[in-house]
Amino acid sequence: MSRLVALPLSVLMLLNFVLSANGGNDPTRVRTGMVVSQSDIASQVGVEVMQEGGNAVDAAVATALAMAVTHPTAGNIGGGGFLIFRPNDGEPTAFDFREKAPAAAHPEMWLNEKGEYDYQRHHESHKAVGVPGTVAGLHLAWKTHGKLPWKRLVEPAVRLAADGFVVGDGLERSLKEQIDRFEKYPASLAQFTKDGKPYLAGDLLKQPDLARTLERIRDQGPAGFYEGETAELLVKDMEANGGLITLEDMKSYTAQQRTPLRGTYRGYDVIGMCPPSSGGVGVIEMLNILEGYDVRAAGAGSAANLHRMAEAMRRSFADRAQYLGDPDFNPEMPVARLISKEHAAELRKTIDESAASISTPESFEWAYESDETTHFSVVDGDRNAVSMTYTLEYAYGSAITVPGAGFILNNEMGDFNAAPGMTTTGGLIGTKPNLALPKKRMLSSMSPTIVVKDGELFMVTGSPGGRTIINTVLQTILNVVDHEMNAQEAVDAGRIHHQWLPSRIQYENQGFSPDTLAILRGLGHELYPIDKQGSAEVIVVNAKTGQLEGGVDRRRPDGGAAGY
Ligand code: DON
């Protein structure tokens, strides 16, 4: 609690809400409103907004901006993401604020003069930066659905940046890991180290340049970011370092309101993100396949279910690679077919319950993707819900802090495919739907999801983790719907990931018994242990008690479920 007491916000409010109070596998339970995020401080900021009469969208905006300060690993104003809003009394809607390629982008931009692929340029350069979308997206969501004044929602982030906040254990560890990358960029080194030495848990971290940028956003709205001083500082840094983003790219950026995807699973309605994220297609397609099995009878963590899940994942990821990209550039994408029950039935027929399938070798592996994004879930007293995931792509994105403006730039252009036709066994993808083009959005895996039962809000879920996101979200839903776990148990349970190629099941090494793994090997699966997968932040509405139950992912420190 010491980090909260040090917080220069309305500390008295502390008396009025719960922060991750329960232990063991108990979820955090509250009656009225809740935010579950990877930053306990930001969750608290969102709850205070609801206590002042704000709705779930207001709380999401305030939480997201606070996380741009307290969780610089992935919280951001220099990146982008997706927000799904389900009002309790209306149609769900989605906000797409994915970054866009600058106007000078082109499909061969990741090749050097000799026509060879240049990883550095694609993932770790000023050219890897997409035009940020977060500020436009949050503002559009607020303008269409928010209740409290914009300034009220930005102010806590301004204060946290100007007055500082107490560094937690997770931030200490992640900042330490980044010092080598920050050393290339003096503004990053100045902002995120103490004269080159790491911040430690308990230290106060102040970010004065970021505070001034947030003040401009507070006072001018998106113009405080996309025009004037902030945009000029960003473009100056681009021009000095071979970046492509121009003042015109900044000024012309727009977030997009879209219709989320709808699916069903065993009588539940599933609301998922549409392209340019592949998340909604993936989650719904896999649920459709698994609906044909008695998942519940086989039992959580059983080899039978893990095999079926892996085979569903294999097929869905193959479809993802073949078909998905920015809908504004790929009008022919067969999304309706991919999420149909008929397509799932066809795919299910190809699954052998007694043997692993083979992913065809003439296809390809996937490039490395980091697992640093962040998701949070919000439910307010009227049972309006927000599911939001946003990212800088890698941890701390490009690691470039805009000099004088104090925010970190994404390296999201790395999510575009490598080059036309450049599909290699070494991990490059050259399929057409996701090649870089001017103003195009790169394909994402982010999967903010809302589940509804008989017209009533049931569950809000999502996670970071690159392509593992889709599979983590799938498993949180199966754990709650089929295995009747509470929100915390559903988050805690071991996770697997299969992505078609490489053809193997990645699994959390503490999550499954040796005999279960032996059965999977016997079915022909290659197994690959990892430490941790994702960081799901989940809220479930308990229909019996009416309470909100929050599951915080303890795989990463510093998170918190706050509510009242
Ligand atoms: O949009 C995407 O799918 C990736 N850029 C997300 C990266 C990611 O999730 C990293 N971390 N969790």
Side-chain angles (χ1 to χ4, degrees):
M1 281 313 246
S2 59
R3 300 177 56 229
L4 292 173
V5 173
L7 192 70
L9 289 170
S10 38
V11 172
L12 282 178
M13 298 298 258
L14 281 173
L15 298 175
N16 293 340
F17 70 85
V18 176
L19 185 85
S20 305
N22 300 6
N25 281 351
D26 254 7
T28 303
R29 294 193 180 87
V30 299
R31 193 146 290 285
T32 311
M34 178 176 261
V35 181
V36 189
S37 82
Q38 277 186 265
S39 163
D40 51 7
I41 296 170
S43 295
Q44 177 196 358
V45 164
V47 167
E48 289 181 8
V49 161
M50 291 193 275
Q51 287 177 315
E52 270 181 41
N55 63 16
V57 169
D58 293 318
V61 169
T63 300
L65 291 168
M67 286 186 81
V69 182
T70 60
H71 188 67
T73 329
N76 69 78
I77 53 174
F82 304 105
L83 182 158
I84 297 184
F85 174 52
R86 179 182 184 269
N88 196 33
D89 58 357
E91 283 301 301
T93 186
F95 294 91
D96 166 8
F97 46 99
R98 183 70 161 165
E99 298 90 329
K100 284 187 178 187
H106 56 91
E108 288 89 14
M109 67 185 288
W110 315 119
L111 304 180
N112 66 19
E113 301 62 36
K114 293 187 208 150
E116 296 157 344
Y117 172 70
D118 183 340
Y119 175 89
Q120 204 75 19
R121 189 182 298 182
H122 194 189
H123 295 277
E124 293 173 8
S125 74
H126 279 70
K127 287 191 173 60
V129 182
V131 182
T134 297
V135 174
L138 294 177
H139 194 265
L140 182 61
W142 167 79
K143 209 167 79 178
T144 48
H145 295 286
K147 276 168 70 183
L148 293 189
W150 173 253
K151 289 187 179 184
R152 164 65 186 87
L153 307 181
V154 188
E155 184 62 20
V158 173
R159 295 267 54 87
L160 286 163
D163 302 340
F165 68 95
V166 178
V167 171
D169 178 46
L171 185 55
E172 171 189 323
R173 280 193 253 165
S174 86
L175 283 173
K176 246 186 216 154
E177 282 169 13
Q178 297 295 325
I179 288 189
D180 287 355
R181 293 179 74 209
F182 291 153
E183 269 166 2
K184 284 198 276 182
Y185 305 106
S188 299
L189 205 61
Q191 185 153 330
F192 295 111
T193 66
K194 298 182 288 188
D195 293 327
K197 296 209 179 57
Y199 274 97
L200 302 178
D203 286 343
L204 194 67
L205 173 56
K206 295 186 182 183
Q207 302 172 76
D209 287 344
L210 177 58
R212 282 186 286 275
T213 297
L214 287 165
E215 279 170 1
R216 290 191 287 275
I217 295 168
R218 176 193 66 194
D219 298 339
Q220 302 165 41
F225 184 81
Y226 292 98
E227 298 173 49
E229 188 175 347
T230 314
E232 282 159 17
L233 288 166
L234 184 153
V235 170
K236 188 171 155 206
D237 195 47
M238 287 286 144
E239 286 171 350
N241 294 285
L244 301 181
I245 298 177
T246 63
L247 286 175
E248 178 52 30
D249 287 323
M250 289 293 284
K251 196 167 174 192
S252 62
Y253 181 88
T254 48
Q256 181 89 26
Q257 196 164 358
R258 298 191 189 272
T259 306
L261 300 183
R262 307 287 286 260
T264 61
Y265 182 64
R266 302 193 202 284
Y268 292 78
D269 294 304
V270 180
I271 302 163
M273 191 62 215
C274 54
S277 181
S278 57
V281 170
V283 169
I284 294 170
E285 182 174 348
M286 292 189 287
L287 286 172
N288 282 340
I289 295 172
L290 293 168
E291 202 174 36
Y293 300 106
D294 195 343
V295 169
R296 184 187 169 136
S302 62
N305 274 345
L306 296 175
H307 172 66
R308 293 159 175 168
M309 272 197 268
E311 294 302 327
M313 291 168 183
R314 185 196 308 273
R315 285 156 179 77
S316 171
F317 270 82
D319 278 346
R320 177 194 192 272
Q322 193 171 350
Y323 296 114
L324 300 182
D326 183 347
D328 297 342
F329 287 74
N330 296 286
E332 76 292 351
M333 281 188 298
V335 171
R337 181 170 71 80
L338 295 178
I339 62 171
S340 69
K341 300 286 183 194
E342 292 74 23
H343 181 60
E346 287 304 312
L347 292 178
R348 201 183 308 117
K349 278 189 215 153
T350 69
I351 296 177
D352 181 342
E353 289 255 49
S354 60
S357 306
I358 295 166
S359 298
T360 46
E362 63 271 19
S363 43
F364 49 83
E365 297 205 14
W366 301 76
Y368 166 79
E369 219 178 49
S370 95
D371 59 2
E372 288 299 345
T373 292
T374 192
H375 172 85
F376 61 85
S377 296
V378 184
V379 178
D380 68 22
D382 294 325
R383 296 296 176 261
N384 303 307
V386 166
S387 185
M388 174 168 157
T389 315
Y390 69 151
T391 187
L392 291 162
E393 164 61 354
Y394 287 4
Y396 302 90
S398 60
I400 301 166
T401 301
V402 177
F407 66 93
I408 298 175
L409 292 169
N410 68 81
N411 60 339
E412 217 76 55
M413 296 286 281
D415 277 0
F416 279 121
N417 291 351
M422 188 170 273
T423 292
T424 71
T425 50
L428 301 181
I429 302 175
T431 49
K432 187 163 172 283
N434 190 36
L435 291 170
L437 284 172
K439 312 241 174 211
K440 187 174 175 181
R441 292 182 154 106
M442 54 298 280
L443 183 63
S444 172
S445 300
M446 289 186 276
S447 311
T449 305
I450 295 178
V451 182
V452 175
K453 177 78 169 127
D454 300 329
E456 301 292 331
L457 178 69
F458 177 67
M459 181 176 182
V460 187
T461 181
S463 176
R467 283 180 290 266
T468 69
I469 292 173
I470 311 174
N471 293 333
T472 296
V473 170
L474 169 77
Q475 287 163 87
T476 61
I477 296 172
L478 298 176
N479 288 344
V480 173
V481 169
D482 287 309
H483 304 306
E484 296 186 2
M485 295 185 194
N486 69 42
Q488 191 60 57
E489 291 163 342
V491 165
D492 290 347
R495 295 176 185 149
I496 65 162
H497 172 69
H498 197 300
Q499 57 177 42
W500 178 37
L501 284 162
S503 183
R504 65 185 187 202
I505 297 176
Q506 188 169 290
Y507 69 98
E508 289 187 315
N509 56 16
Q510 299 297 334
F512 303 94
S513 72
D515 25 14
T516 305
L517 299 174
I519 296 172
L520 289 172
R521 269 190 211 98
L523 292 172
H525 289 287
E526 182 187 330
L527 300 182
Y528 182 80
I530 58 155
D531 188 20
K532 294 181 177 110
Q533 176 176 317
S535 181
E537 312 297 338
V538 172
I539 300 175
V540 173
V541 184
N542 185 324
K544 288 191 195 122
T545 65
Q547 284 177 310
L548 301 175
E549 301 188 345
V552 186
D553 205 321
R554 295 174 286 204
R555 289 168 180 78
R556 315 256 183 123
D558 295 355
Y564 68 112

